[in-house]
């Protein structure tokens, strides 16, 4: 039986990929999920395996409840039992003011960033909670500093979906604290990943970095370090907490 098994949603790129590699270095057996970019996810798995770790990639859209259930069942069969979940999968759409957003866009954002995290947390709890015969575990939700700042003129919908993740983190942490599960979150700031291209501005980090007190964008590995600390025994008395990895914003 594997001692440490981690699932990282959206683990094929950016923060998710950096977290997967670091988790493997720290002794986790790693499962990454991906929605579309199979090659990137399998490249992460290959990197881990070349370093002597064990990993797999599973195609799953966290906006689909059926996909999430299948993802966790696949993990059960191959690696289980689960001990750690990183709710990392997230999307944003092109920069836009609220007055121009339609309901379809909002539905897409909240289905992935909000509902997807809830359903993944549900499946993890059913496996990890001592109430269900599990041995406990830890969940880290990837929120965003945008949840505090609002992302005006760009991504208010994304910011709102991440504020929902903050509420999930607080409420769920209290709900399962006596069942052996810790729930925490990281709130990245402007990080050098390709998600900015989805918003129509690949160079956004360089444009806004002067507004960051540290005058630079962050690296995915810096966020991954915070995630792995929250999952570790070093954080054994930490739940319902947030680490802002945002350069002082």
């Amino acid at each position: 039986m594997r001692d440490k098994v981690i699932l990282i949603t959206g683990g094929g790129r950016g923060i998710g990929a950096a977290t997967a590699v670091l988790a493997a270095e720290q002794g986790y057996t790693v499962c990454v999920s991906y929605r579309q970019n199979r090659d990137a996810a399998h490249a992460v798995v290959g990197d881990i395996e070349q370093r002597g770790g064990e990993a797999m990639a599973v195609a799953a859209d966290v906006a689909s409840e059926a996909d999430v259930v299948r993802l966790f069942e696949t993990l059960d069969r191959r690696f289980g039992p689960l001990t750690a979940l990183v709710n990392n999968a997230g999307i944003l759409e092109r920069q836009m003011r609220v007055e121009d957003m339609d309901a379809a866009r909002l539905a897409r954002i909240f289905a992935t960033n909000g509902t997807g995290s809830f359903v993944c947390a549900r499946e993890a709890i059913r496996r990890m909670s001592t109430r269900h015969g599990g041995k406990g575990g830890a969940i880290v939700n990837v929120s965003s500093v945008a949840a505090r700042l609002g992302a005006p003129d760009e991504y208010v919908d994304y910011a709102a979906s991440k504020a929902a993740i903050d509420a999930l983190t607080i409420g769920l942490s209290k709900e399962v604290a006596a069942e052996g599960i810790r729930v925490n979150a990281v709130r990245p700031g402007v990080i050098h990943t390709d998600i900015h291209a989805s918003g129509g501005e690949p160079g956004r980090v360089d444009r806004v970095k002067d507004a960051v007190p540290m005058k630079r964008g962050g690296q995915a590995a810096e966020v991954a370090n915070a995630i792995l600390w929250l999952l570790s025994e070093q954080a054994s008395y930490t739940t319902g907490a947030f680490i802002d990895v945002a350069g002082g914003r």
Side-chain angles (χ1 to χ4, degrees):
M1 181 180 294
R2 299 166 178 86
D3 292 333
K4 299 197 300 183
V5 176
I6 189 170
L7 168 61
I8 302 162
T9 64
R13 64 177 191 171
I15 292 168
T19 302
V21 171
L22 184 59
E25 290 175 355
Q26 295 187 10
Y28 283 91
T29 299
V30 178
C31 175
V32 296
S33 74
Y34 65 96
R35 185 178 56 150
Q36 291 179 318
N37 198 334
R38 180 185 185 278
D39 290 346
H42 282 271
V44 172
V45 170
D47 187 11
I48 291 171
E49 291 176 340
Q50 285 182 351
R51 300 174 188 224
E54 188 174 16
M56 71 171 175
V58 179
D61 183 352
V62 299
S64 163
E65 184 174 19
D67 273 19
V68 171
V69 170
R70 177 180 52 77
L71 167 63
F72 276 81
E73 289 176 345
T74 301
L75 178 59
D76 290 340
R77 290 192 298 270
R78 175 81 180 272
F79 288 158
L82 181 71
T83 58
L85 166 67
V86 180
N87 267 322
N88 170 71
I91 61 170
L92 54 73
E93 300 205 2
R94 294 187 70 85
Q95 296 169 351
M96 185 180 292
R97 288 170 56 91
V98 171
E99 65 196 53
D100 296 319
M101 295 178 185
D102 59 24
R105 168 180 167 134
L106 298 175
R108 290 190 296 270
I109 293 290
F110 281 91
T112 295
N113 299 358
T115 303
S117 293
F118 268 83
V119 176
C120 286
R122 180 195 76 192
E123 293 300 310
I125 291 160
R126 289 176 177 178
R127 289 158 171 80
M128 296 191 297
S129 171
T130 56
R131 187 167 176 256
H132 296 290
K135 296 183 179 180
I139 297 171
V140 173
N141 298 317
V142 179
S143 177
S144 171
V145 73
R148 292 193 289 100
L149 302 178
D153 299 309
E154 293 186 324
Y155 313 114
V156 174
D157 52 348
Y158 174 83
S161 72
K162 292 300 188 175
I165 295 305
D166 287 2
L168 167 64
T169 300
I170 295 167
L172 184 59
S173 69
K174 296 175 180 178
E175 197 166 278
V176 298
E179 300 170 24
I181 302 173
R182 297 182 301 104
V183 184
N184 295 289
V186 296
R187 285 189 290 225
V190 287
I191 307 297
H192 287 283
T193 73
D194 60 8
I195 195 171
H196 301 286
S198 302
E201 189 183 2
R204 180 173 178 269
V205 175
D206 289 331
R207 175 175 64 83
V208 304
K209 67 182 181 181
D210 285 342
V212 177
M214 291 182 70
K215 304 301 181 186
R216 68 173 178 88
Q219 299 297 326
E222 293 176 301
V223 184
N225 284 331
I227 292 170
L228 266 297
W229 183 81
L230 286 169
L231 292 174
S232 75
E233 284 303 309
Q234 292 177 320
S236 58
Y237 198 53
T238 301
T239 197
F242 297 83
I243 297 178
D244 287 2
V245 188
R249 293 177 77 205

